[in-house]
Amino acid sequence: MSRIDEGLERGTAFAFTLDGQKVEAYPGETIAAALLASGVRALRRTAKRQQPRSLYCGMGICWECLVTVDGAPSQRACMTEAKPGMRVETQKGVGR
Amino acid sequence: MKDADLAIVGAGPAGMAAAAEAASLGLGVTVIDDNARAGGQYFRQPPAGFRHTGAMFLDKDRARGSVLAAALRHPAVAHWQDAVVWDMPEPGVLAVAAGEGSGRVRAKAILVATGAQDRPVPFPGWTLPGVVSAGGLQNLLKGQRVVPGRRAVVVGNGPLLLLIGANLVRAGVEVAAVVEAAPIWNRILPALASLARAPDMLALAIRYRAVLARAGVPVLAGWTVTGAKGDEAVTGCRVAPIDTQGRLDRARERSFDCDLLVAGFGLMPSLELPRLIGAELAYDRRRGGWTVKRDADFQCSVPNVHVAGDGAGIGGAEMALLEGRIAARAVARKLGKQVPADDDLRRAWAKRDAFRRGLEAIYAPPASFLDLMTEDTVVCRCEDVTVGDIAKRRSELAGSVTQVKATTRLSMGRCQGRNCLVTLAAMVAKDTGVDMATIPLPRPRPPLRPIPIGDLAFEDIPPPDIPADPHLPRKQRA
């Protein structure tokens, strides 16, 4: 749960929220990267068995890391860039 | 509708190399890629906002990747980013979803360079947060420079495991063990001649092994993960040796605490587009499953469609670069361009091909990993379908993948079967005693990826051919 700082400089940190809690992110980071770096584990719960799920494939094909972004459900946290002030919510089921 | 001489699907090693080659030979090229930046998985670039201040271990291929990506800025190349190819509605035409930029491209030839994905191998607890695929972990490291844990275990099968173990060590993670299913140490000697055909790769493998040895990380070869522990996230895992008959020796099970479990059971080609267009496939047991049948120019059974790189059969980035170039030259030659002879490229390709055969011999996995699953192991992640759910249907279904799909909803979720169909096919094969090679996977249907319906509003398609008398069949005008 940490960022590797060797060999690069990130830009200026900004904040977005996960379920109302502030999360720090850097320009260009995906929502998933920022959340995992902050120690967040589960990103959603499944509809049928309410199981916790999180990033698995990391390249946009498994749809396990779905979150609700600014009210839009089922956005892939691994493919969506974090932006200042974004409201991200962990998703329950299909998110509506 | 956009027009191109060559449309390339995917901007990974094969796609980038093909684009550069084709453009230099005078072709108009359109590259369609579903990522924000070119590179694919192997040459994944950190975001533009990250400023590099010095080289470190994750920068090994970054310079090469940048050079390849720069080729996409050639004036003869149109690079369509964050764009998903979701159909080939007619020969030579690709439908692309890209928000307001959605539309179609018509090309004289198409190169499919869609790369690979991790082979899904279900085991108890594999859906827990903190269980990450090998490719996913590499992407977080390379593309985001984030480590999603403090103490890791790396499990699975294949050459990526040593690389990932070494990368985690170098990123400051405590690696409790690397657990490789194949008994690799006994197999190296007979394969040495093939491996020596690519001394650069061999040297890398030795370096990764040395990093692990220096950090005191045990590499358990001939062992497999048997389960991940945890309720809300992974807290540990169990591993067990595999005996010479391929059976699990659960009496010798060991466990490790970890908050990160990297599971990589090898890669498999992303075959959805070739399968959609009806390209002939070949089952290659040694290579790990279905591959695309191709001629010497990497053209598949569908005319003017070439398939290069891992998207045809797993061979790695170096082989993909060569296949992309050879395929691009074949297209240029067919379109009447002056093209140099391929002898050098083909010789280099043959060396890589010999190397990958050597690797396949060393890493040949046990017949299946189905014994890892228990009643409540999830097979289909999207629809939460467990082994138990499938078992209930087994007797009535006489071994048809499609029927199990229809009754359980397995593979009908967002990932469209990418992480469950091969498991189901293996289950059906085992259950009915037939060979995996005889079990066809269901035909994918467009859209090849979930796309927002709004994207279709930007399609510039001609009005449908509707007859004046709607009772007459289409095309038969009144």
Side-chain angles (χ1 to χ4, degrees):
Chain A
M1 341 272 163
S2 59
R3 292 180 173 86
I4 304 169
D5 291 324
E6 189 189 342
L8 59 82
E9 273 169 17
R10 292 175 169 83
T12 311
F14 61 84
F16 67 94
T17 61
L18 175 72
D19 298 332
Q21 302 284 314
K22 258 192 183 164
V23 179
E24 190 175 70
Y26 290 87
E29 275 187 349
T30 61
I31 292 172
L35 292 178
L36 293 177
S38 311
V40 174
R41 311 303 307 266
L43 297 179
R44 71 174 182 114
R45 275 178 196 278
T46 60
K48 206 156 113 194
R49 294 188 159 87
Q50 290 79 48
Q51 291 184 350
R53 299 283 172 85
S54 188
L55 178 137
Y56 170 67
C57 83
M59 60 178 201
I61 65 159
C62 78
W63 303 75
E64 283 285 62
C65 62
L66 297 183
V67 290
T68 298
V69 178
D70 291 333
S74 302
Q75 306 298 305
R76 289 168 295 176
C78 76
M79 298 289 278
T80 311
E81 204 179 307
K83 298 282 183 200
M86 222 175 210
R87 279 183 304 113
V88 179
E89 293 157 89
T90 51
Q91 185 162 318
K92 284 159 197 73
V94 294
R96 299 180 198 268
Chain B
M1 183 89 75
K2 294 177 182 167
D3 283 292
D5 293 321
L6 174 63
I8 299 173
V9 187
M16 292 192 297
E21 192 77 16
S24 75
L25 293 169
L27 299 187
V29 183
T30 295
V31 180
I32 309 146
D33 185 49
D34 65 348
N35 278 287
R37 301 193 79 189
Q41 311 310 329
Y42 187 83
F43 292 111
R44 183 168 282 268
Q45 310 181 74
F50 288 19
R51 204 170 63 80
H52 296 273
T53 54
M56 46 88 75
F57 71 95
L58 292 168
D59 292 317
K60 182 172 81 68
D61 293 301
R62 195 164 56 81
R64 275 170 86 206
S66 307
V67 170
L68 285 160
L72 301 187
R73 294 196 290 271
H74 189 286
V77 179
H79 178 198
W80 217 332
Q81 288 142 299
D82 286 318
V84 172
V85 170
W86 61 270
D87 193 14
M88 185 161 107
E90 54 183 287
V93 176
L94 297 172
V96 183
E100 291 181 22
S102 300
R104 296 185 175 197
V105 55
R106 180 189 301 281
K108 294 180 184 126
I110 288 169
L111 177 71
V112 178
T114 46
Q117 69 161 87
D118 272 277
R119 173 186 315 288
V121 169
F123 54 85
W126 78 308
T127 56
L128 282 169
V131 181
V132 179
S133 77
L137 194 274
Q138 280 290 91
N139 284 353
L140 276 175
L141 288 179
K142 276 193 210 173
Q144 296 285 323
R145 305 292 167 106
V146 162
V147 226
R150 292 191 179 87
R151 184 177 156 89
V153 178
V154 181
V155 301
N157 171 232
L160 264 181
L161 301 190
L162 291 181
L163 162 67
I164 285 173
N167 276 352
L168 287 171
V169 166
R170 293 184 287 193
V173 176
E174 182 190 350
V175 180
V178 173
V179 183
E180 164 59 56
I184 50 176
W185 309 132
N186 315 329
R187 294 175 175 175
I188 288 178
L189 217 51
L192 212 51
S194 315
L195 297 183
R197 299 288 298 278
D200 53 338
M201 303 298 279
L202 195 54
L204 277 178
I206 292 168
R207 192 199 299 171
Y208 300 145
R209 183 69 189 88
V211 170
L212 292 171
R214 267 201 306 276
V217 178
V219 177
L220 304 177
W223 286 63
T224 180
V225 66
T226 52
K229 292 184 286 189
D231 296 317
E232 285 301 298
V234 66
T235 57
C237 68
R238 296 183 308 276
V239 302
I242 305 170
D243 70 17
T244 44
Q245 267 79 54
R247 288 175 311 222
L248 296 174
D249 184 359
R250 290 189 190 267
R252 291 170 61 202
E253 218 167 47
R254 292 174 61 179
S255 58
F256 294 101
D257 291 333
C258 63
D259 60 0
L260 171 63
L261 182 62
V262 184
F265 286 84
L267 302 176
M268 57 184 206
S270 300
L271 292 173
E272 287 73 25
L273 182 52
R275 281 167 56 210
L276 175 81
I277 64 177
E280 261 183 67
L281 304 182
Y283 197 87
D284 186 337
R285 192 170 313 285
R286 263 336 214 348
R287 224 166 170 177
W290 292 104
T291 59
V292 180
K293 268 195 193 172
R294 302 175 296 169
D295 66 14
D297 290 331
F298 305 123
Q299 183 173 213
C300 71
S301 64
V302 180
N304 300 317
V305 178
H306 297 249
V307 188
D310 281 355
I314 302 306
E318 303 303 331
M319 212 162 147
L321 291 166
L322 293 164
E323 292 190 2
R325 292 183 64 191
I326 294 170
R329 285 182 174 196
V331 171
R333 213 171 274 127
K334 204 176 337 180
L335 296 178
K337 305 290 182 190
Q338 282 289 334
V339 180
D342 294 332
D343 302 3
D344 292 0
L345 296 183
R346 290 185 189 274
R347 261 196 302 276
W349 182 88
K351 283 185 188 168
R352 299 290 168 187
D353 197 51
F355 178 79
R356 65 107 185 144
R357 284 168 196 274
L359 270 191
E360 285 164 15
I362 292 173
Y363 282 104
S368 87
F369 288 103
L370 294 180
D371 291 346
L372 299 180
M373 304 193 299
T374 58
E375 172 102 358
D376 55 6
T377 303
V378 168
V379 176
C380 166
R381 288 168 165 263
C382 300
E383 297 290 324
D384 257 353
V385 182
T386 62
V387 171
D389 295 334
I390 298 166
K392 272 185 237 156
R393 302 286 181 176
R394 255 193 193 164
S395 55
E396 74 195 61
L397 289 178
S400 155
V401 167
T402 309
Q403 280 206 311
V404 178
K405 172 181 164 177
T407 51
T408 63
R409 287 201 54 81
L410 176 142
S411 89
M412 292 171 80
R414 286 192 171 84
C415 93
Q416 299 169 294
R418 285 170 173 85
N419 282 304
C420 63
L421 277 177
V422 291
T423 308
L424 177 60
M427 290 172 79
V428 169
K430 189 180 174 195
D431 211 41
T432 52
V434 302
D435 196 287
M436 275 282 277
T438 65
I439 299 178
L441 297 177
R443 186 81 166 259
R445 302 286 168 201
L448 283 171
R449 294 270 178 99
I451 54 171
I453 198 163
D455 285 7
L456 302 181
F458 300 97
E459 284 264 300
D460 49 352
I461 49 176
D465 187 15
I466 298 169
D469 178 350
H471 298 289
L472 284 174
R474 282 188 178 197
K475 307 239 172 189
Q476 192 183 321
R477 287 184 185 281

